[in-house]
Amino acid sequence: MSLPSSPARPAGLPDRIRHWIGGAYADSADGAVFDVADPVSNTRYTTAAAGGPADVDRAVAAARAAFPAWAALGNRERASILVRVADAVEAREDRLAELESFDSGLPITQARGQARRAAENFRYFADVIVALGEEAYRVGDTQLNYVVRTPAGVAGLITPWNTPFMLESWKLAPALASGCTLVLKPAEWTPLSAGLWPEILTEAGVPAGVVNIVHGLGEAAGQALVDHPDVPLLSFTGSTDTGRHIMRCSADGLKALSMELGGKSPVVVFADADLEAALDSVVFGVFSLNGERCTAGSRVLVERPVYEEFTRRLAERAEKVRVGLPSDPATEVGALVHPEHYARVLEYVEVGRREARLVAGGGRPGHLPEGNYLQPAVFTDVPRDARIFQEEIFGPVVAVAPFDDECEAVELANATRYGLAAYVWTGDLRRGHRIAHEVASGMVWINSHNVRDLRTPFGGVKDSGLGREGGAHSIDFFSESKIVHVMLGEVHTPRFGA
Ligand code: NAD
């Protein structure tokens, strides 16, 4: 029997996670590696190649060489390959869940959904690229204008450690569908599941060099990708500070940027809401995926008449959330990804104790003496200038505050620098729409939580990002649009110098 502090170590872990460049595994040019640990024992279980400029250079060269043939494929052919990628991802559902849960600390039941979502990204973009037309405009009888879309070139994809494989698929699928070749730099805390891509892509028939993966630290491998002159576009998901830094570095090269950044999303609960449904959604929305979710509803604003009842019930539920080994199917919150991140979240709990009232959790559960575990924390009466109200914690910690009327609800909802998602719970749909329009965020859910159709735009405003992903928005990002103007009638030109 394994102790609660020992992770269920999957069979067949690699002794080394390597780059994948031009269709072959590769070590770093200088042989550098970094340690990779699991978040339950916090001990090293393998090493990964630590990429630098030379490795990124080789990867970009491979992507450039593969670009003309991949870009020239018909949309239907590329779509067929993407569908095969989806099949190959789905066939590895159990393996992916096991690796992801082990490496990132995600509860196994929640890791299981990631393969299906990742596969769906490929199926969806296969459909999009086949169905997508190009725009044409007729200007009376005299002119016809039409748009020609071409793949933008070698894309740089940089991804974070929360749900790493799924977020990689989110960028890989539209980039490939659009005809780009690419270099992916996965997050260094969770490089394990990215090791599945080479076999998946090879099995699906993606030609060598179309996808290249360079592992390594952000400031080395990531930075080299950002700085590479032959990478004209970067799709980044990660923290606002890193995003800002990447934007500064991209200015000289005038790179196209898609920035999916942090969040501190409000959930506004009105007294006339279905409180049971709202409570389920609040608990799930902020504590699922270990609270390491960019769209987590981490600020809960509750209308005064139901504030006491709602916070009491929220605290009761948080105390009962089952924290445990990520591999245990009964676990609802697993281990936070890394000791550094764990320490940061614990520090926020300490800050919160000084700023507001801790009414549930906030400590290490007694039955889990080791590993990055935290009983979900609920803070109430949180003032709007509190750090735990303003700053993204990215863990199972929620800040709750009361409001008196609709106007104050909107004001509080908008009182942070972030604007990714927002959630509204009310029995009055007209009010739900009003709030949805007034809240500054890229996405709003009324009487529901984070369920998203892949056709809809995803992204944030203010410090939560720039641009939208999803549906045609992603294809737009990975393509260049050229407009062709054709004269059908007589040309009338002022005759200068005639
Ligand atoms: P991070 O910014 O620390 O790292 C993200 C990626 O950027 C990693 O691969 C990292 O190696 C790389 N990186 C770091 N420094 C770099 C540099 N100088 N140049 C190039 N690349 C560099 O973020 P994280 O801690 O991995 O992820 C958590 C953050 O991601 C949270 O803020 C969360 O809200 C955000 N996130 C946003 C979304 C969204 O869609 N808006 C989705 C998931 C996560």
Side-chain angles (χ1 to χ4, degrees), residues 455-480:
R455 288 170 298 181
T456 62
F458 184 101
V461 300
K462 303 200 287 187
D463 278 11
S464 290
L466 196 68
R468 294 289 178 275
E469 297 192 340
H473 298 271
S474 293
I475 302 292
D476 277 346
F477 177 72
F478 289 108
S479 313
E480 289 290 0

mmCIF file with all atom_site columns, all heavy atoms in Angstrom, residues 455-480:
data_model
loop_
_atom_site.group_PDB
_atom_site.id
_atom_site.type_symbol
_atom_site.label_atom_id
_atom_site.label_alt_id
_atom_site.label_comp_id
_atom_site.label_asym_id
_atom_site.label_entity_id
_atom_site.label_seq_id
_atom_site.pdbx_PDB_ins_code
_atom_site.Cartn_x
_atom_site.Cartn_y
_atom_site.Cartn_z
_atom_site.occupancy
_atom_site.B_iso_or_equiv
_atom_site.pdbx_formal_charge
_atom_site.auth_seq_id
_atom_site.auth_comp_id
_atom_site.auth_asym_id
_atom_site.auth_atom_id
_atom_site.pdbx_PDB_model_num
ATOM 1   N N   . ARG A 1 455 ? -16.341 27.210 -30.823 1.00 0.00 ? 455 ARG A N   1
ATOM 2   C CA  . ARG A 1 455 ? -16.505 28.251 -31.858 1.00 0.00 ? 455 ARG A CA  1
ATOM 3   C C   . ARG A 1 455 ? -16.400 29.654 -31.275 1.00 0.00 ? 455 ARG A C   1
ATOM 4   O O   . ARG A 1 455 ? -16.232 30.621 -32.002 1.00 0.00 ? 455 ARG A O   1
ATOM 5   C CB  . ARG A 1 455 ? -17.878 28.104 -32.537 1.00 0.00 ? 455 ARG A CB  1
ATOM 6   C CG  . ARG A 1 455 ? -17.969 26.905 -33.432 1.00 0.00 ? 455 ARG A CG  1
ATOM 7   C CD  . ARG A 1 455 ? -19.394 26.672 -33.874 1.00 0.00 ? 455 ARG A CD  1
ATOM 8   N NE  . ARG A 1 455 ? -20.262 26.397 -32.707 1.00 0.00 ? 455 ARG A NE  1
ATOM 9   C CZ  . ARG A 1 455 ? -21.542 26.149 -32.787 1.00 0.00 ? 455 ARG A CZ  1
ATOM 10  N NH1 . ARG A 1 455 ? -22.149 26.150 -33.945 1.00 0.00 ? 455 ARG A NH1 1
ATOM 11  N NH2 . ARG A 1 455 ? -22.244 25.905 -31.697 1.00 0.00 ? 455 ARG A NH2 1
ATOM 12  N N   . THR A 1 456 ? -16.562 29.769 -29.952 1.00 0.00 ? 456 THR A N   1
ATOM 13  C CA  . THR A 1 456 ? -16.667 31.108 -29.367 1.00 0.00 ? 456 THR A CA  1
ATOM 14  C C   . THR A 1 456 ? -15.288 31.700 -29.072 1.00 0.00 ? 456 THR A C   1
ATOM 15  O O   . THR A 1 456 ? -14.348 30.969 -28.793 1.00 0.00 ? 456 THR A O   1
ATOM 16  C CB  . THR A 1 456 ? -17.487 31.062 -28.062 1.00 0.00 ? 456 THR A CB  1
ATOM 17  O OG1 . THR A 1 456 ? -16.799 30.228 -27.119 1.00 0.00 ? 456 THR A OG1 1
ATOM 18  C CG2 . THR A 1 456 ? -18.869 30.511 -28.298 1.00 0.00 ? 456 THR A CG2 1
ATOM 19  N N   . PRO A 1 457 ? -15.187 33.045 -29.133 1.00 0.00 ? 457 PRO A N   1
ATOM 20  C CA  . PRO A 1 457 ? -13.894 33.670 -28.848 1.00 0.00 ? 457 PRO A CA  1
ATOM 21  C C   . PRO A 1 457 ? -13.498 33.509 -27.384 1.00 0.00 ? 457 PRO A C   1
ATOM 22  O O   . PRO A 1 457 ? -14.338 33.618 -26.494 1.00 0.00 ? 457 PRO A O   1
ATOM 23  C CB  . PRO A 1 457 ? -14.128 35.151 -29.180 1.00 0.00 ? 457 PRO A CB  1
ATOM 24  C CG  . PRO A 1 457 ? -15.595 35.341 -29.235 1.00 0.00 ? 457 PRO A CG  1
ATOM 25  C CD  . PRO A 1 457 ? -16.218 34.020 -29.544 1.00 0.00 ? 457 PRO A CD  1
ATOM 26  N N   . PHE A 1 458 ? -12.218 33.242 -27.170 1.00 0.00 ? 458 PHE A N   1
ATOM 27  C CA  . PHE A 1 458 ? -11.671 33.106 -25.817 1.00 0.00 ? 458 PHE A CA  1
ATOM 28  C C   . PHE A 1 458 ? -10.580 34.138 -25.629 1.00 0.00 ? 458 PHE A C   1
ATOM 29  O O   . PHE A 1 458 ? -9.681  34.262 -26.458 1.00 0.00 ? 458 PHE A O   1
ATOM 30  C CB  . PHE A 1 458 ? -11.077 31.701 -25.626 1.00 0.00 ? 458 PHE A CB  1
ATOM 31  C CG  . PHE A 1 458 ? -10.576 31.457 -24.220 1.00 0.00 ? 458 PHE A CG  1
ATOM 32  C CD1 . PHE A 1 458 ? -11.328 30.725 -23.318 1.00 0.00 ? 458 PHE A CD1 1
ATOM 33  C CD2 . PHE A 1 458 ? -9.366  31.978 -23.796 1.00 0.00 ? 458 PHE A CD2 1
ATOM 34  C CE1 . PHE A 1 458 ? -10.889 30.523 -22.021 1.00 0.00 ? 458 PHE A CE1 1
ATOM 35  C CE2 . PHE A 1 458 ? -8.914  31.777 -22.497 1.00 0.00 ? 458 PHE A CE2 1
ATOM 36  C CZ  . PHE A 1 458 ? -9.673  31.039 -21.607 1.00 0.00 ? 458 PHE A CZ  1
ATOM 37  N N   . GLY A 1 459 ? -10.638 34.899 -24.539 1.00 0.00 ? 459 GLY A N   1
ATOM 38  C CA  . GLY A 1 459 ? -9.571  35.860 -24.279 1.00 0.00 ? 459 GLY A CA  1
ATOM 39  C C   . GLY A 1 459 ? -10.031 36.914 -23.309 1.00 0.00 ? 459 GLY A C   1
ATOM 40  O O   . GLY A 1 459 ? -11.185 36.907 -22.867 1.00 0.00 ? 459 GLY A O   1
ATOM 41  N N   . GLY A 1 460 ? -9.117  37.814 -22.967 1.00 0.00 ? 460 GLY A N   1
ATOM 42  C CA  . GLY A 1 460 ? -9.437  38.781 -21.940 1.00 0.00 ? 460 GLY A CA  1
ATOM 43  C C   . GLY A 1 460 ? -9.153  40.208 -22.345 1.00 0.00 ? 460 GLY A C   1
ATOM 44  O O   . GLY A 1 460 ? -8.542  40.476 -23.385 1.00 0.00 ? 460 GLY A O   1
ATOM 45  N N   . VAL A 1 461 ? -9.618  41.134 -21.491 1.00 0.00 ? 461 VAL A N   1
ATOM 46  C CA  . VAL A 1 461 ? -9.324  42.555 -21.681 1.00 0.00 ? 461 VAL A CA  1
ATOM 47  C C   . VAL A 1 461 ? -8.429  43.010 -20.528 1.00 0.00 ? 461 VAL A C   1
ATOM 48  O O   . VAL A 1 461 ? -8.101  42.240 -19.641 1.00 0.00 ? 461 VAL A O   1
ATOM 49  C CB  . VAL A 1 461 ? -10.614 43.409 -21.744 1.00 0.00 ? 461 VAL A CB  1
ATOM 50  C CG1 . VAL A 1 461 ? -11.493 42.970 -22.905 1.00 0.00 ? 461 VAL A CG1 1
ATOM 51  C CG2 . VAL A 1 461 ? -11.405 43.329 -20.435 1.00 0.00 ? 461 VAL A CG2 1
ATOM 52  N N   . LYS A 1 462 ? -8.073  44.263 -20.525 1.00 0.00 ? 462 LYS A N   1
ATOM 53  C CA  . LYS A 1 462 ? -7.178  44.852 -19.519 1.00 0.00 ? 462 LYS A CA  1
ATOM 54  C C   . LYS A 1 462 ? -5.931  43.969 -19.370 1.00 0.00 ? 462 LYS A C   1
ATOM 55  O O   . LYS A 1 462 ? -5.370  43.523 -20.377 1.00 0.00 ? 462 LYS A O   1
ATOM 56  C CB  . LYS A 1 462 ? -7.929  45.050 -18.193 1.00 0.00 ? 462 LYS A CB  1
ATOM 57  C CG  . LYS A 1 462 ? -9.176  45.935 -18.361 1.00 0.00 ? 462 LYS A CG  1
ATOM 58  C CD  . LYS A 1 462 ? -9.660  46.544 -17.053 1.00 0.00 ? 462 LYS A CD  1
ATOM 59  C CE  . LYS A 1 462 ? -10.329 45.596 -16.128 1.00 0.00 ? 462 LYS A CE  1
ATOM 60  N NZ  . LYS A 1 462 ? -10.935 46.187 -14.947 1.00 0.00 ? 462 LYS A NZ  1
ATOM 61  N N   . ASP A 1 463 ? -5.514  43.675 -18.141 1.00 0.00 ? 463 ASP A N   1
ATOM 62  C CA  . ASP A 1 463 ? -4.265  42.920 -17.963 1.00 0.00 ? 463 ASP A CA  1
ATOM 63  C C   . ASP A 1 463 ? -4.418  41.420 -18.226 1.00 0.00 ? 463 ASP A C   1
ATOM 64  O O   . ASP A 1 463 ? -3.489  40.655 -17.976 1.00 0.00 ? 463 ASP A O   1
ATOM 65  C CB  . ASP A 1 463 ? -3.732  43.127 -16.541 1.00 0.00 ? 463 ASP A CB  1
ATOM 66  C CG  . ASP A 1 463 ? -2.965  44.425 -16.418 1.00 0.00 ? 463 ASP A CG  1
ATOM 67  O OD1 . ASP A 1 463 ? -3.033  45.246 -17.360 1.00 0.00 ? 463 ASP A OD1 1
ATOM 68  O OD2 . ASP A 1 463 ? -2.306  44.632 -15.390 1.00 0.00 ? 463 ASP A OD2 1
ATOM 69  N N   . SER A 1 464 ? -5.580  40.994 -18.703 1.00 0.00 ? 464 SER A N   1
ATOM 70  C CA  . SER A 1 464 ? -5.774  39.567 -18.965 1.00 0.00 ? 464 SER A CA  1
ATOM 71  C C   . SER A 1 464 ? -5.402  39.173 -20.377 1.00 0.00 ? 464 SER A C   1
ATOM 72  O O   . SER A 1 464 ? -5.458  37.982 -20.711 1.00 0.00 ? 464 SER A O   1
ATOM 73  C CB  . SER A 1 464 ? -7.223  39.157 -18.679 1.00 0.00 ? 464 SER A CB  1
ATOM 74  O OG  . SER A 1 464 ? -7.453  39.196 -17.294 1.00 0.00 ? 464 SER A OG  1
ATOM 75  N N   . GLY A 1 465 ? -5.039  40.134 -21.203 1.00 0.00 ? 465 GLY A N   1
ATOM 76  C CA  . GLY A 1 465 ? -4.533  39.691 -22.504 1.00 0.00 ? 465 GLY A CA  1
ATOM 77  C C   . GLY A 1 465 ? -4.884  40.572 -23.668 1.00 0.00 ? 465 GLY A C   1
ATOM 78  O O   . GLY A 1 465 ? -5.473  41.643 -23.536 1.00 0.00 ? 465 GLY A O   1
ATOM 79  N N   . LEU A 1 466 ? -4.507  40.036 -24.789 1.00 0.00 ? 466 LEU A N   1
ATOM 80  C CA  . LEU A 1 466 ? -4.604  40.774 -26.045 1.00 0.00 ? 466 LEU A CA  1
ATOM 81  C C   . LEU A 1 466 ? -4.985  39.765 -27.121 1.00 0.00 ? 466 LEU A C   1
ATOM 82  O O   . LEU A 1 466 ? -4.327  38.743 -27.260 1.00 0.00 ? 466 LEU A O   1
ATOM 83  C CB  . LEU A 1 466 ? -3.206  41.323 -26.352 1.00 0.00 ? 466 LEU A CB  1
ATOM 84  C CG  . LEU A 1 466 ? -3.093  42.413 -27.382 1.00 0.00 ? 466 LEU A CG  1
ATOM 85  C CD1 . LEU A 1 466 ? -3.727  43.689 -26.853 1.00 0.00 ? 466 LEU A CD1 1
ATOM 86  C CD2 . LEU A 1 466 ? -1.626  42.667 -27.683 1.00 0.00 ? 466 LEU A CD2 1
ATOM 87  N N   . GLY A 1 467 ? -6.043  40.073 -27.861 1.00 0.00 ? 467 GLY A N   1
ATOM 88  C CA  . GLY A 1 467 ? -6.447  39.172 -28.936 1.00 0.00 ? 467 GLY A CA  1
ATOM 89  C C   . GLY A 1 467 ? -7.385  38.091 -28.419 1.00 0.00 ? 467 GLY A C   1
ATOM 90  O O   . GLY A 1 467 ? -7.611  37.975 -27.219 1.00 0.00 ? 467 GLY A O   1
ATOM 91  N N   . ARG A 1 468 ? -7.937  37.339 -29.345 1.00 0.00 ? 468 ARG A N   1
ATOM 92  C CA  . ARG A 1 468 ? -8.858  36.267 -29.000 1.00 0.00 ? 468 ARG A CA  1
ATOM 93  C C   . ARG A 1 468 ? -8.398  34.978 -29.658 1.00 0.00 ? 468 ARG A C   1
ATOM 94  O O   . ARG A 1 468 ? -7.896  34.993 -30.779 1.00 0.00 ? 468 ARG A O   1
ATOM 95  C CB  . ARG A 1 468 ? -10.276 36.582 -29.486 1.00 0.00 ? 468 ARG A CB  1
ATOM 96  C CG  . ARG A 1 468 ? -10.913 37.762 -28.784 1.00 0.00 ? 468 ARG A CG  1
ATOM 97  C CD  . ARG A 1 468 ? -11.263 37.408 -27.342 1.00 0.00 ? 468 ARG A CD  1
ATOM 98  N NE  . ARG A 1 468 ? -11.837 38.547 -26.622 1.00 0.00 ? 468 ARG A NE  1
ATOM 99  C CZ  . ARG A 1 468 ? -11.125 39.502 -26.013 1.00 0.00 ? 468 ARG A CZ  1
ATOM 100 N NH1 . ARG A 1 468 ? -9.806  39.458 -26.041 1.00 0.00 ? 468 ARG A NH1 1
ATOM 101 N NH2 . ARG A 1 468 ? -11.715 40.481 -25.373 1.00 0.00 ? 468 ARG A NH2 1
ATOM 102 N N   . GLU A 1 469 ? -8.582  33.877 -28.950 1.00 0.00 ? 469 GLU A N   1
ATOM 103 C CA  . GLU A 1 469 ? -8.362  32.577 -29.566 1.00 0.00 ? 469 GLU A CA  1
ATOM 104 C C   . GLU A 1 469 ? -9.722  31.911 -29.699 1.00 0.00 ? 469 GLU A C   1
ATOM 105 O O   . GLU A 1 469 ? -10.703 32.361 -29.136 1.00 0.00 ? 469 GLU A O   1
ATOM 106 C CB  . GLU A 1 469 ? -7.415  31.735 -28.704 1.00 0.00 ? 469 GLU A CB  1
ATOM 107 C CG  . GLU A 1 469 ? -6.034  32.382 -28.598 1.00 0.00 ? 469 GLU A CG  1
ATOM 108 C CD  . GLU A 1 469 ? -4.957  31.480 -28.007 1.00 0.00 ? 469 GLU A CD  1
ATOM 109 O OE1 . GLU A 1 469 ? -5.294  30.498 -27.340 1.00 0.00 ? 469 GLU A OE1 1
ATOM 110 O OE2 . GLU A 1 469 ? -3.777  31.790 -28.232 1.00 0.00 ? 469 GLU A OE2 1
ATOM 111 N N   . GLY A 1 470 ? -9.763  30.806 -30.447 1.00 0.00 ? 470 GLY A N   1
ATOM 112 C CA  . GLY A 1 470 ? -11.034 30.104 -30.618 1.00 0.00 ? 470 GLY A CA  1
ATOM 113 C C   . GLY A 1 470 ? -11.624 30.419 -31.971 1.00 0.00 ? 470 GLY A C   1
ATOM 114 O O   . GLY A 1 470 ? -11.549 31.550 -32.456 1.00 0.00 ? 470 GLY A O   1
ATOM 115 N N   . GLY A 1 471 ? -12.186 29.389 -32.595 1.00 0.00 ? 471 GLY A N   1
ATOM 116 C CA  . GLY A 1 471 ? -12.903 29.561 -33.851 1.00 0.00 ? 471 GLY A CA  1
ATOM 117 C C   . GLY A 1 471 ? -12.087 30.276 -34.902 1.00 0.00 ? 471 GLY A C   1
ATOM 118 O O   . GLY A 1 471 ? -10.869 30.145 -34.999 1.00 0.00 ? 471 GLY A O   1
ATOM 119 N N   . ALA A 1 472 ? -12.761 31.104 -35.678 1.00 0.00 ? 472 ALA A N   1
ATOM 120 C CA  . ALA A 1 472 ? -12.102 31.818 -36.768 1.00 0.00 ? 472 ALA A CA  1
ATOM 121 C C   . ALA A 1 472 ? -11.050 32.788 -36.255 1.00 0.00 ? 472 ALA A C   1
ATOM 122 O O   . ALA A 1 472 ? -10.133 33.158 -36.983 1.00 0.00 ? 472 ALA A O   1
ATOM 123 C CB  . ALA A 1 472 ? -13.153 32.567 -37.585 1.00 0.00 ? 472 ALA A CB  1
ATOM 124 N N   . HIS A 1 473 ? -11.176 33.198 -34.956 1.00 0.00 ? 473 HIS A N   1
ATOM 125 C CA  . HIS A 1 473 ? -10.184 34.128 -34.395 1.00 0.00 ? 473 HIS A CA  1
ATOM 126 C C   . HIS A 1 473 ? -8.793  33.507 -34.418 1.00 0.00 ? 473 HIS A C   1
ATOM 127 O O   . HIS A 1 473 ? -7.801  34.176 -34.705 1.00 0.00 ? 473 HIS A O   1
ATOM 128 C CB  . HIS A 1 473 ? -10.536 34.504 -32.959 1.00 0.00 ? 473 HIS A CB  1
ATOM 129 C CG  . HIS A 1 473 ? -11.843 35.205 -32.850 1.00 0.00 ? 473 HIS A CG  1
ATOM 130 N ND1 . HIS A 1 473 ? -11.959 36.566 -32.951 1.00 0.00 ? 473 HIS A ND1 1
ATOM 131 C CD2 . HIS A 1 473 ? -13.087 34.730 -32.693 1.00 0.00 ? 473 HIS A CD2 1
ATOM 132 C CE1 . HIS A 1 473 ? -13.228 36.898 -32.845 1.00 0.00 ? 473 HIS A CE1 1
ATOM 133 N NE2 . HIS A 1 473 ? -13.931 35.804 -32.685 1.00 0.00 ? 473 HIS A NE2 1
ATOM 134 N N   . SER A 1 474 ? -8.700  32.230 -34.096 1.00 0.00 ? 474 SER A N   1
ATOM 135 C CA  . SER A 1 474 ? -7.394  31.570 -34.100 1.00 0.00 ? 474 SER A CA  1
ATOM 136 C C   . SER A 1 474 ? -6.852  31.483 -35.520 1.00 0.00 ? 474 SER A C   1
ATOM 137 O O   . SER A 1 474 ? -5.666  31.690 -35.753 1.00 0.00 ? 474 SER A O   1
ATOM 138 C CB  . SER A 1 474 ? -7.506  30.156 -33.530 1.00 0.00 ? 474 SER A CB  1
ATOM 139 O OG  . SER A 1 474 ? -7.831  30.208 -32.168 1.00 0.00 ? 474 SER A OG  1
ATOM 140 N N   . ILE A 1 475 ? -7.728  31.158 -36.467 1.00 0.00 ? 475 ILE A N   1
ATOM 141 C CA  . ILE A 1 475 ? -7.269  31.044 -37.860 1.00 0.00 ? 475 ILE A CA  1
ATOM 142 C C   . ILE A 1 475 ? -6.787  32.409 -38.344 1.00 0.00 ? 475 ILE A C   1
ATOM 143 O O   . ILE A 1 475 ? -5.764  32.515 -39.023 1.00 0.00 ? 475 ILE A O   1
ATOM 144 C CB  . ILE A 1 475 ? -8.407  30.511 -38.772 1.00 0.00 ? 475 ILE A CB  1
ATOM 145 C CG1 . ILE A 1 475 ? -8.907  29.153 -38.265 1.00 0.00 ? 475 ILE A CG1 1
ATOM 146 C CG2 . ILE A 1 475 ? -7.963  30.443 -40.228 1.00 0.00 ? 475 ILE A CG2 1
ATOM 147 C CD1 . ILE A 1 475 ? -7.944  28.012 -38.389 1.00 0.00 ? 475 ILE A CD1 1
ATOM 148 N N   . ASP A 1 476 ? -7.504  33.456 -37.954 1.00 0.00 ? 476 ASP A N   1
ATOM 149 C CA  . ASP A 1 476 ? -7.078  34.816 -38.324 1.00 0.00 ? 476 ASP A CA  1
ATOM 150 C C   . ASP A 1 476 ? -5.673  35.086 -37.812 1.00 0.00 ? 476 ASP A C   1
ATOM 151 O O   . ASP A 1 476 ? -4.848  35.666 -38.499 1.00 0.00 ? 476 ASP A O   1
ATOM 152 C CB  . ASP A 1 476 ? -8.006  35.871 -37.701 1.00 0.00 ? 476 ASP A CB  1
ATOM 153 C CG  . ASP A 1 476 ? -9.241  36.077 -38.535 1.00 0.00 ? 476 ASP A CG  1
ATOM 154 O OD1 . ASP A 1 476 ? -9.246  35.628 -39.691 1.00 0.00 ? 476 ASP A OD1 1
ATOM 155 O OD2 . ASP A 1 476 ? -10.201 36.669 -38.010 1.00 0.00 ? 476 ASP A OD2 1
ATOM 156 N N   . PHE A 1 477 ? -5.425  34.682 -36.554 1.00 0.00 ? 477 PHE A N   1
ATOM 157 C CA  . PHE A 1 477 ? -4.117  34.975 -35.962 1.00 0.00 ? 477 PHE A CA  1
ATOM 158 C C   . PHE A 1 477 ? -2.995  34.264 -36.712 1.00 0.00 ? 477 PHE A C   1
ATOM 159 O O   . PHE A 1 477 ? -1.927  34.840 -36.953 1.00 0.00 ? 477 PHE A O   1
ATOM 160 C CB  . PHE A 1 477 ? -4.093  34.574 -34.478 1.00 0.00 ? 477 PHE A CB  1
ATOM 161 C CG  . PHE A 1 477 ? -2.738  34.791 -33.866 1.00 0.00 ? 477 PHE A CG  1
ATOM 162 C CD1 . PHE A 1 477 ? -2.279  36.077 -33.606 1.00 0.00 ? 477 PHE A CD1 1
ATOM 163 C CD2 . PHE A 1 477 ? -1.897  33.722 -33.578 1.00 0.00 ? 477 PHE A CD2 1
ATOM 164 C CE1 . PHE A 1 477 ? -1.007  36.297 -33.078 1.00 0.00 ? 477 PHE A CE1 1
ATOM 165 C CE2 . PHE A 1 477 ? -0.630  33.929 -33.048 1.00 0.00 ? 477 PHE A CE2 1
ATOM 166 C CZ  . PHE A 1 477 ? -0.179  35.222 -32.798 1.00 0.00 ? 477 PHE A CZ  1
ATOM 167 N N   . PHE A 1 478 ? -3.228  33.024 -37.076 1.00 0.00 ? 478 PHE A N   1
ATOM 168 C CA  . PHE A 1 478 ? -2.153  32.244 -37.706 1.00 0.00 ? 478 PHE A CA  1
ATOM 169 C C   . PHE A 1 478 ? -2.087  32.448 -39.222 1.00 0.00 ? 478 PHE A C   1
ATOM 170 O O   . PHE A 1 478 ? -1.335  31.761 -39.904 1.00 0.00 ? 478 PHE A O   1
ATOM 171 C CB  . PHE A 1 478 ? -2.309  30.757 -37.367 1.00 0.00 ? 478 PHE A CB  1
ATOM 172 C CG  . PHE A 1 478 ? -1.980  30.444 -35.916 1.00 0.00 ? 478 PHE A CG  1
ATOM 173 C CD1 . PHE A 1 478 ? -2.972  30.124 -35.006 1.00 0.00 ? 478 PHE A CD1 1
ATOM 174 C CD2 . PHE A 1 478 ? -0.670  30.493 -35.460 1.00 0.00 ? 478 PHE A CD2 1
ATOM 175 C CE1 . PHE A 1 478 ? -2.666  29.846 -33.670 1.00 0.00 ? 478 PHE A CE1 1
ATOM 176 C CE2 . PHE A 1 478 ? -0.349  30.220 -34.138 1.00 0.00 ? 478 PHE A CE2 1
ATOM 177 C CZ  . PHE A 1 478 ? -1.348  29.896 -33.240 1.00 0.00 ? 478 PHE A CZ  1
ATOM 178 N N   . SER A 1 479 ? -2.893  33.368 -39.758 1.00 0.00 ? 479 SER A N   1
ATOM 179 C CA  . SER A 1 479 ? -2.890  33.608 -41.206 1.00 0.00 ? 479 SER A CA  1
ATOM 180 C C   . SER A 1 479 ? -2.602  35.073 -41.506 1.00 0.00 ? 479 SER A C   1
ATOM 181 O O   . SER A 1 479 ? -2.858  35.948 -40.684 1.00 0.00 ? 479 SER A O   1
ATOM 182 C CB  . SER A 1 479 ? -4.270  33.317 -41.824 1.00 0.00 ? 479 SER A CB  1
ATOM 183 O OG  . SER A 1 479 ? -4.774  32.108 -41.391 1.00 0.00 ? 479 SER A OG  1
ATOM 184 N N   . GLU A 1 480 ? -2.110  35.297 -42.683 1.00 0.00 ? 480 GLU A N   1
ATOM 185 C CA  . GLU A 1 480 ? -2.045  36.657 -43.217 1.00 0.00 ? 480 GLU A CA  1
ATOM 186 C C   . GLU A 1 480 ? -3.203  36.782 -44.212 1.00 0.00 ? 480 GLU A C   1
ATOM 187 O O   . GLU A 1 480 ? -3.456  35.866 -44.984 1.00 0.00 ? 480 GLU A O   1
ATOM 188 C CB  . GLU A 1 480 ? -0.733  36.893 -43.972 1.00 0.00 ? 480 GLU A CB  1
ATOM 189 C CG  . GLU A 1 480 ? 0.491   36.981 -43.091 1.00 0.00 ? 480 GLU A CG  1
ATOM 190 C CD  . GLU A 1 480 ? 0.554   38.245 -42.235 1.00 0.00 ? 480 GLU A CD  1
ATOM 191 O OE1 . GLU A 1 480 ? -0.358  39.087 -42.315 1.00 0.00 ? 480 GLU A OE1 1
ATOM 192 O OE2 . GLU A 1 480 ? 1.529   38.356 -41.480 1.00 0.00 ? 480 GLU A OE2 1
#
